[in-house]
Amino acid sequence: MSTWYPEADLVIQHPKIYTVAITCDEVKEGKTDFPIIEDGGVAAKDGKVI
């Protein structure tokens, strides 16, 4: 069995990531406090987050 190690086309290191972990209804009700990841990272390959 082989192990898959994807190589990213794009890597963003140490960004502040504003998540969208609330619903549209919550936004309509005025909720504006989104969970934030202070020192995160994002990698993408072929237009998809990996």
Side-chain angles (χ1 to χ4, degrees):
M1 179 177 202
S2 65
T3 303
W4 180 61
Y5 296 101
E7 293 181 15
D9 298 324
L10 172 70
V11 175
I12 302 171
Q13 296 178 325
H14 310 291
K16 182 180 281 190
I17 301 171
Y18 294 85
T19 68
V20 287
I22 64 175
T23 66
C24 291
D25 288 334
E26 289 173 315
V27 173
K28 289 176 187 175
E29 292 170 359
K31 184 173 181 181
T32 58
D33 54 328
F34 302 101
I36 298 171
I37 300 170
E38 290 291 336
D39 188 23
V42 177
K45 180 166 183 67
D46 299 326
K48 297 178 182 176
V49 176
I50 55 173

